[in-house]
């Protein structure tokens, strides 16, 4: 019987067009391991593995675990900002320039 964690992982994986094998490759695990997380109540991924899954699905561990009243959109924004924080300064500047262009076009 799937858990809320498994349901959320499956939903996000499918939205991104990832197969079980595709997600497994991203988190350096097996296809059967991902299937177990999605479909069995006994699967309990480690904090490290859960973090890899969240990063691969561009969300947060809080969203996956349902520990906070956070929407998927909020979790996606948080995950995006974390990726931004890890970028090199030149990449950050390019992203800020792109955002400015998008803002100017929407006005």
């Amino acid at each position: 019987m799937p858990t809320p964690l498994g349901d959320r992982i499956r939903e996000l994986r499918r939205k991104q067009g990832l197969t079980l094998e595709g997600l497994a490759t991203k988190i350096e695990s097996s296809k059967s391991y991902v299937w177990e997380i999605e479909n069995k109540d006994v699967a309990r991924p480690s904090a490290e593995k859960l973090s890899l899954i969240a990063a691969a699905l561009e969300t947060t561990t809080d969203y996956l675990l349902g520990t906070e009243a956070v929407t998927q959109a909020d979790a996606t924004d948080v995950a995006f900002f974390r990726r931004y924080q890890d970028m090199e300064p030149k990449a950050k500047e390019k992203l800020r320039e792109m955002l400015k262009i998008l803002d100017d076009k929407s006005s």
Side-chain angles (χ1 to χ4, degrees):
M1 175 171 243
T3 63
L5 170 66
D7 289 340
R8 287 181 178 201
I9 291 172
R10 181 183 315 99
E11 177 187 353
L12 293 173
R13 177 181 60 77
R14 288 178 176 169
K15 279 184 181 177
Q16 290 189 13
L18 285 172
T19 61
L20 288 168
E21 189 170 342
L23 180 56
T25 299
K26 285 185 167 207
I27 65 168
E28 300 175 359
S29 284
S30 67
K31 176 180 168 180
S32 62
Y33 178 74
V34 175
W35 184 90
E36 283 186 19
I37 292 172
E38 288 185 4
N39 294 289
K40 291 194 173 188
D41 188 23
V42 294
R44 303 263 191 268
S46 67
E48 179 184 353
K49 196 58 76 173
L50 192 60
S51 180
L52 289 172
I53 293 168
L57 296 175
E58 298 177 358
T59 192
T60 63
T61 55
D62 287 335
Y63 175 76
L64 292 178
L65 293 172
T67 57
E68 291 182 4
V70 62
T71 66
Q72 174 52 39
D74 292 338
T76 300
D77 289 345
V78 169
F80 177 84
F81 186 67
R82 285 181 184 157
R83 288 180 62 197
Y84 173 82
Q85 288 177 310
D86 291 338
M87 289 178 159
E88 296 294 324
K90 284 186 178 186
K92 286 181 178 181
E93 182 58 34
K94 286 181 183 179
L95 192 55
R96 286 191 296 268
E97 288 173 13
M98 292 169 64
L99 183 59
K100 187 176 184 318
I101 290 168
L102 290 171
D103 283 345
D104 291 344
K105 288 186 178 185
S106 65
S107 299

